[in-house]
DNA sequence: CTGAAAGCGCTTACAG
DNA sequence: CTGAAAGCGCTTACAG
């Protein structure tokens, strides 16, 4: 196991194997045109020398970086509070490491800076493709990435689906990128129904930023379910996903003359903060107020009362997205993927409406 | 603003400026030997052409990747629950992006796989240096990175400080790397004292994995403070930092005949889970049980009761670590940095011991 | 102060 | 099936 002083290069392999370095390259990238025995010999030598192709040399030749990018435009505080991204990233990693790809991560605190980061990533050819999360309405990144010629995979299908795309594909359609879709509307609708079944008739929705498509989409699914039951769906508050915003939204809702008996939040941290506010006001959960979160983070099961939430699966979302991006680059296109839809996990924070003295 | 079809290369700049590409390179990297006016002309042309040096070409020439690495060996679930890393990463990013560096992130679920990742990062020359977090006792990464010749910065100083290093620097000392230190012992000691002052005499400590140096270090600081007050410091439970582990540790502690009146946890999620268990058992916090966390995550302020915690500052930790790694690479060495020590943030989850009927 | 040339370690037509 | 050569876009001694 003598550690070699200098890293072996393709020239070393060629010399030892007694062939040209071009042939080594062919053998290693198993391209046709190398006899079986020559290839075997070359591979044996490569293994022997512990040869690993230089990424930067390959990159320069092939104009490929062998890395994918993820740009997250969220405030650091929110990033830390919301377990979605760490899990998503872990899923991405799980696939990339086995494929010899690296993940280049960028965190920007505001969406203004975002474009600069993508441009730099593209100009420096740092990454071969990117993951697009937190899709927004009329998301400027779609056009930007197209302009940059940067392949991408979106989490969720942009609002105007590719199916409705203009017949002329040369026109900039709504989404030029394949999507890995996890239907959250079903879970949201089931959650709304769950609350209706418990007798709630005054239900509030504390959503994420409206400019994000998933917030709007979930909001609509939620409202539809309430509407279908003849229950008002006007109690909607928009937040930035922070626990702080969740807390203050809860405060406002509970101060209402006609306060809700149930509140559904866009993520678990906000719901947990909501429970905190309820307790502070002397309300019992779920006797006086039912509360539900979203994403079903680890903590949901352990807070008191344990939190009803909607389980998405960020880890496998990450895995699928990574595999899709690999496929997109290898084959030039990739079909949309549908993951298991989100589903409700009922715990102790939601319960039947307590019968009150009729107003 | 006509978008150029082909990216400008150094040759384009040289041609337009009427000089050799070598001179362009000198001017851009402002090295001596270029007259002021020539440099200005070259820079003007570069700007005009929107020229950006190719990272892979530079990398190949300089054997530098212009990227730093962070390998996290934690289970995805824990990663998601613990806000430390997202904030730390955000801090790192804040510095790197302005310096034209990228962050390559790797998440591995177990420490066995860790070595492979570092070796690959080094063999592929993916990164110029790495951040070492969650330092362990006799951490194998120290020797590994030395063997690989990979520069690094550690979060916290390895247990055996560099000051105590053997006189012969050629021998593998305890830590060959500079450290950015955030003293957490002070905050932990202050927290212990806070509980003592409230009258607690039976105080438990639910720590992170003992193989991690910060867990041991904090544990010692905690025990020292209790010992100095003549209070037993034997109630220590080790966990893996998950909320699940925090919950079960709490369960065990509260089932004790001589159950603690206060429990301190190694991170906030565990403390929040602890509050959950206490409530489930019909205990009131802090009347029947005081609870405190660590790291002071956003949620701490919004749970009920709001959580006393120890505030470290992952964001500036990340910033400092990034700056230190840049300096280490630029100048070949860097001095250790001491950040503001951690301090206690007292909230509603800790309170005076309730007088009980004496047993 | 400036230019011409070699080299970093690969890939890829182009010949044979 | 194999070799020799050019090229990717930089940096860096080496000359002048």
């Amino acid at each position: 196991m003598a550690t070699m002083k200098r890293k072996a290069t393709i020239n070393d392999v060629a010399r030892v194997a007694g062939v040209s370095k071009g042939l080594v390259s062919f053998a290693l990238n198993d391209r046709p045109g190398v006899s079986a025995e020559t290839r075997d010999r070359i591979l044996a030598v490569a293994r022997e020398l512990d040869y690993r192709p230089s990424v930067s040399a390959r990159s320069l030749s092939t104009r490929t970086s062998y890395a994918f990018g993820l740009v997250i435009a969220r405030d650091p505080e929110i990033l830390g509070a919301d377990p979605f991204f760490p899990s998503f990233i872990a899923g991405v990693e799980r696939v990339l490491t086995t494929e010899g790809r690296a993940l280049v991560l960028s965190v920007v605190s505001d969406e203004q800076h975002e474009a600069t980061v993508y441009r730099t990533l593209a100009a420096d050819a740092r990454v071969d493709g990117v993951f697009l999360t937190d899709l927004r309405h009329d998301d400027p990144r779609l056009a930007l990435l197209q302009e940059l010629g940067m392949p991408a995979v979106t989490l969720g299908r942009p609002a105007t689906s590719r199916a409705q795309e203009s017949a002329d594909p040369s026109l900039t359609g709504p989404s030029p990128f394949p999507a890995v879709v996890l239907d959250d509307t079903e879970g949201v609708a089931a959650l709304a129904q769950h609350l209706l079944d418990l007798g709630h008739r005054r239900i509030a929705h504390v959503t994420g930023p409206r400019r994000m498509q998933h917030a709007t989409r979930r909001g609509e699914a939620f409202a539809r379910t309430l509407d279908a039951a003849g229950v008002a769906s006007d109690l909607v508050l928009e937040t930035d996903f922070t626990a702080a915003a969740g807390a203050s939204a809860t405060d406002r809702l509970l101060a209402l003359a006609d306060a809700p008996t149930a509140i559904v939040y866009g993520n678990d941290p906000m719901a947990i903060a909501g429970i905190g506010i309820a307790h502070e006001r002397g309300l019992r959960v779920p006797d006086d107020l039912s509360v539900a979160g979203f994403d079903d983070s680890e903590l949901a099961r352990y807070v008191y009362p344990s939190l009803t939430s909607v389980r998405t699966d960020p880890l496998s979302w990450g895995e699928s997205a990574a595999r899709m991006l690999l496929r997109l680059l290898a084959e030039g296109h990739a079909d949309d993927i549908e993951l298991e839809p989100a589903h409700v996990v009922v715990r102790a924070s939601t319960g039947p409406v307590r019968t009150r003295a009729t107003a």
Side-chain angles (χ1 to χ4, degrees), chain A:
Chain A
M1 312 303 141
T3 323
M4 307 233 5
K5 206 67 212 140
R6 195 177 55 85
K7 265 197 62 180
T9 77
I10 197 171
N11 274 317
D12 300 325
V13 177
R15 186 164 23 77
V16 174
V19 296
S20 73
K21 61 179 184 176
L23 207 58
V24 173
S25 175
F26 271 59
L28 258 37
N29 300 315
D30 46 32
R31 299 176 33 145
V34 187
S35 70
E37 49 182 343
T38 307
R39 176 201 319 284
D40 289 349
R41 182 156 43 92
I42 291 173
L43 294 183
V45 171
R47 185 182 318 276
E48 168 103 14
L49 264 44
D50 194 26
Y51 168 71
R52 294 187 58 93
S54 147
V55 172
S56 47
R58 296 191 72 190
S59 295
L60 184 55
S61 280
T62 60
R63 299 163 185 290
T64 299
S65 64
Y66 303 97
F68 292 153
L70 175 61
V71 181
I72 306 180
R74 286 205 186 185
D75 188 89
E77 283 279 276
I78 311 173
L79 245 196
D82 197 330
F84 179 87
F85 279 104
S87 299
F88 174 75
I89 288 172
V92 168
E93 283 294 341
R94 198 174 280 191
V95 172
L96 292 198
T97 53
T98 68
E99 298 285 338
R101 256 75 170 185
L103 178 68
V104 172
L105 182 68
S106 233
V107 179
V108 294
S109 50
D110 61 304
E111 290 166 10
Q112 325 310 324
H113 253 75
E114 204 179 32
T116 313
V117 172
Y118 281 111
R119 286 188 186 282
T120 304
L121 245 28
D124 292 356
R126 281 279 190 190
V127 300
D128 303 324
V130 296
F131 301 100
L132 238 49
T133 63
D134 282 342
L135 235 43
R136 308 194 288 271
H137 293 289
D138 300 314
D139 202 312
R141 296 175 294 174
L142 261 34
L144 173 62
L145 292 174
Q146 269 190 108
E147 175 201 329
L148 296 172
M150 175 72 75
V153 159
T154 61
L155 261 62
R157 204 176 278 123
T160 319
S161 85
R162 290 202 293 163
Q164 306 169 234
E165 205 172 327
S166 125
D168 181 352
S170 77
L171 291 177
T172 303
S175 175
F177 304 119
V180 40
V181 179
L182 191 154
D183 178 23
D184 45 13
T185 61
E186 202 167 300
V188 168
L191 174 58
Q193 192 58 54
H194 163 66
L195 293 169
L196 289 168
D197 291 348
L198 288 168
H200 294 276
R201 290 297 175 269
R202 192 69 182 143
I203 307 176
H205 196 187
V206 177
T207 73
R210 281 236 160 259
R211 66 179 183 289
M212 293 187 185
Q213 293 190 21
H214 51 62
T216 317
R217 191 175 55 231
R218 292 181 210 159
E220 287 168 358
F222 199 79
R224 252 197 315 274
T225 310
L226 298 193
D227 292 347
V231 167
S233 60
D234 57 313
L235 229 44
V236 179
L237 260 59
E238 179 183 357
T239 70
D240 62 2
F241 270 140
T242 57
S248 86
T250 308
D251 244 339
R252 266 178 295 157
L253 286 168
L254 296 180
L256 255 36
D258 191 13
T261 62
I263 309 180
V264 168
Y265 297 82
N267 65 9
D268 285 357
M270 290 201 296
I272 293 172
I275 293 179
I277 294 292
H279 279 146
E280 223 159 62
R281 288 175 155 263
L283 298 178
R284 286 167 307 162
V285 177
D287 287 352
D288 302 315
L289 179 72
S290 280
V291 167
F294 198 92
D295 273 341
D296 194 27
S297 55
E298 197 215 358
L299 211 45
R301 167 183 269 112
Y302 298 103
V303 291
Y304 185 82
S306 62
L307 185 66
T308 293
S309 192
V310 176
R311 176 166 262 289
T312 58
D313 192 350
L315 199 76
S316 52
W317 216 342
E319 291 179 346
S320 295
R323 271 196 286 268
M324 176 175 276
L325 197 43
L326 284 167
R327 197 174 317 127
L328 176 61
L329 287 170
E331 302 171 13
H333 81 105
D335 293 331
D336 287 4
I337 290 184
E338 293 270 353
L339 301 179
E340 270 312 271
H343 63 274
V344 181
V345 179
V346 176
R347 297 207 181 84
S349 66
T350 47
V353 160
R354 207 179 44 161
T355 319
R356 304 191 193 177
T358 327

